[in-house]
């Protein structure tokens, strides 16, 4: 198990790679860049958290005076509040999909609560993102994500197998339906007090952490600013490690940094036409134990991180939480700031996961 509880320099990626081999799906080269389609409605759409057994919806008023549901999950030593928000930016359609499951055990037995959060950033369409949204978590659970006695290696193997099975099924569907789109992903599972983070592509997860736990319980506004620690590694064709893997698979990274001159990311679900030239759905997987130093996690697609630096986003969220705003409102304001004030042109989706330590 890789521990993330030791203090890490700001913006340094904290991760643990799983060196398994890539899947070997279908080819079929066809131009389909990472940002192939445009969007539809300029207003933010907040997604309500899905609550499961043991969750505790709490009603409150948002910044506009509307009644909203604030989902809460209680764990030993801490509670989790989470919500998602999205905006299509200036594009003609929204190709992102997200998941907020505060009790994600589904039909699998066990006493260890499992929460799940994910963002799937589609490119060339939304079919791959929707497919991953509907299937990945179930595939991870069926692959053996621990529910009773937590075994870190078994859990990571289940996540890896869940990604592989999801991509293999998606490739079969896309071949039958003639799909050409793909989707990057950033996913978090909170199992007991352990956080698992998995990603493919350029979506990111960032944890806000204080240097000490003194005097910062039950809130997110310690005396000093929280540190932003990146929990994921971007997978782009231009990066040396990814370029080498692509070239070994027979792919070409062109002078514009794109695979076959078209695709910017080097790992994604789907993208059937690029799979045999190096595109992989094998995730980087990292785990760490939550402590009172960990206050919240921000998940975001590349649209969010294109206009927000990790430290900038943490500071923005911390300030709003300190003002006592609900998590749902904070997530919406984060996305609104990205699109309306910072001029994000891409689809923009964010999930805010707040840990309330007892």
């Amino acid at each position: 198990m890789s521990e993330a509880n030791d203090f890490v320099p700001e913006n340094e990626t904290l991760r643990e790679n799983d060196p398994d081999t890539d899947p070997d799906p279908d080819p079929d080269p066809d131009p389909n860049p990472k940002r192939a389609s445009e969007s539809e409605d300029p207003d933010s759409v907040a997604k309500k958290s899905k609550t499961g057994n043991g969750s505790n919806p709490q009603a409150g008023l948002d910044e506009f005076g509307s009644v909203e549901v604030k989902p809460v999950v209680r764990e030993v030593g801490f509670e989790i509040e989470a919500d998602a928000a999205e905006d299509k930016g200036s594009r003609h359609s929204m190709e992102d999909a997200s998941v907020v499951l505060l009790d994600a055990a589904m039909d699998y037995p066990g006493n260890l609560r499992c929460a799940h959060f994910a963002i799937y950033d589609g490119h060339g369409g939304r079919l791959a993102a929707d497919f991953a949204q509907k299937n990945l978590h179930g595939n991870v659970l069926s692959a053996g994500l621990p529910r009773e006695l937590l075994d870190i290696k078994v859990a990571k193997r289940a996540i890896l197998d869940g990604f592989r099975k999801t991509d293999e099924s998606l490739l079969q569907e896309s071949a039958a339906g003639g799909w050409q789109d793909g989707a990057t992903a950033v996913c978090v599972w909170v199992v007991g007090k352990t956080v698992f983070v998995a990603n493919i592509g350029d979506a990111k997860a960032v944890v806000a952490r204080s240097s000490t736990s003194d005097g910062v319980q039950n809130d997110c506004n310690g005396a000093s600013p929280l540190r932003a620690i990146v929990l994921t590694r971007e997978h782009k064709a231009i990066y040396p490690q990814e370029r080498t893997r692509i070239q070994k698979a027979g792919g070409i990274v062109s002078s514009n940094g794109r695979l076959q001159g078209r695709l910017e990311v080097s790992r994604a679900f789907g993208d059937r036409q690029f799979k045999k030239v190096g595109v992989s759905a094998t995730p980087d997987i990292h785990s760490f134990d939550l402590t009172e130093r960990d206050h919240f996690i921000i998940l975001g697609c590349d649209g969010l991180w294109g206009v927000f630096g990790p430290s900038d986003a943490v500071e923005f969220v911390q300030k709003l939480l300190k003002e006592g705003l609900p998590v749902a409102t904070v997530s919406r304001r984060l996305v609104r700031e990205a699109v309306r004030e910072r001029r994000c042109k891409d689809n923009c989706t964010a999930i805010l996961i707040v840990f309330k330590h007892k």
Side-chain angles (χ1 to χ4, degrees):
M1 172 175 170
S2 174
E3 291 292 332
N5 294 327
D6 292 330
F7 195 60
V8 176
E10 183 174 2
N11 297 347
E12 179 177 333
T13 300
L14 203 50
R15 62 184 181 274
E16 179 173 295
N17 298 332
D18 196 321
D20 286 275
T21 56
D22 298 337
D24 185 27
D26 302 331
D28 208 46
D30 183 35
N32 188 16
K34 166 138 192 344
R35 290 293 164 217
S37 93
E38 317 259 316
S39 238
E40 143 190 289
D41 174 60
D43 294 325
S44 285
V45 179
K47 291 189 176 179
K48 296 302 178 188
S49 301
K50 302 173 184 177
T51 60
N53 295 333
S55 62
N56 179 24
Q58 295 180 345
L61 295 181
D62 67 12
E63 60 186 308
F64 306 108
S66 311
V67 175
E68 62 185 15
V69 174
K70 180 174 21 172
V72 175
V73 154
R74 286 176 171 75
E75 271 297 349
V76 177
F78 66 93
E79 298 174 350
I80 302 174
E81 295 182 45
D83 213 327
E86 65 179 31
D87 191 305
K88 68 180 184 55
S90 61
R91 296 185 180 273
H92 294 311
S93 62
M94 168 53 77
E95 297 180 347
D96 296 350
S98 63
V99 176
V100 175
L101 289 172
L102 291 166
D103 186 0
M106 298 168 67
D107 295 327
Y108 294 83
N111 298 321
L112 197 61
R113 186 178 300 284
C114 172
H116 174 51
F117 313 94
I119 293 176
Y120 303 103
D121 183 353
H123 47 269
R126 181 167 171 148
L127 294 172
D130 284 342
F131 187 92
Q133 178 195 46
K134 295 173 184 175
N135 292 281
L136 177 66
H137 179 59
N139 286 338
V140 169
L141 287 183
S142 64
L145 187 69
R147 297 286 303 146
E148 298 282 358
L149 298 175
L150 182 59
D151 183 300
I152 300 300
K153 289 185 178 179
V154 170
K156 290 183 177 181
R157 174 63 55 183
I159 292 170
L160 182 72
D161 289 347
F163 268 72
R164 181 180 291 123
K165 180 178 178 180
T166 300
D167 193 54
E168 290 173 350
S169 300
L170 171 57
L171 291 171
Q172 292 175 1
E173 291 279 339
S174 66
W179 308 354
Q180 300 292 349
D181 58 314
T184 65
V186 59
C187 305
V188 165
W189 286 267
V190 183
V191 184
K193 292 185 177 181
T194 303
V195 176
F196 295 90
V197 183
N199 80 290
I200 50 175
D202 52 8
K204 292 181 187 176
V206 173
V207 64
R209 178 173 295 164
S210 57
S211 56
T212 68
S213 59
D214 296 340
V216 294
Q217 295 186 14
N218 300 317
D219 59 36
C220 301
N221 59 4
S224 59
L226 301 178
R227 301 278 290 193
I229 300 174
V230 180
L231 301 170
T232 48
R233 181 172 70 90
E234 288 186 275
H235 304 122
K236 291 187 177 181
I238 197 171
Y239 295 160
Q241 180 177 338
E242 295 297 287
R243 181 194 291 265
T244 299
R245 186 175 56 77
I246 286 167
Q247 290 173 339
K248 285 182 179 179
I252 297 172
V253 181
S254 62
S255 58
N256 65 0
R258 292 174 179 264
L259 173 62
Q260 309 298 95
R262 299 182 178 95
L263 192 67
E264 183 180 9
V265 294
S266 53
R267 301 194 194 192
F269 287 120
D271 286 320
R272 177 168 53 91
Q273 67 273 30
F274 295 111
K275 273 297 191 287
K276 285 194 173 178
V277 289
V279 170
S280 165
T282 301
D284 276 314
I285 306 172
H286 168 70
S287 67
F288 65 96
D289 286 337
L290 279 170
T291 72
E292 292 175 353
R293 294 166 54 199
D294 301 309
H295 297 274
F296 56 84
I297 292 175
I298 303 170
L299 304 185
C301 65
D302 68 319
L304 178 75
W305 302 116
V307 295
F308 265 107
S311 296
D312 199 12
V314 165
E315 182 180 357
F316 184 89
V317 168
Q318 182 187 9
K319 179 177 180 294
L320 296 180
L321 291 174
K322 184 177 180 180
E323 293 173 3
L325 294 177
V327 171
T329 300
V330 176
S331 63
R332 288 202 299 273
R333 286 199 179 180
L334 179 64
V335 168
R336 186 175 66 182
E337 172 74 14
V339 173
R340 298 185 184 179
E341 303 301 326
R342 305 191 180 207
R343 299 291 185 260
C344 169
K345 305 299 183 185
D346 200 355
N347 292 164
C348 185
T349 301
I351 296 176
L352 176 60
I353 309 162
V354 177
F355 305 107
K356 301 286 187 177
H357 297 283
K358 298 179 180 177

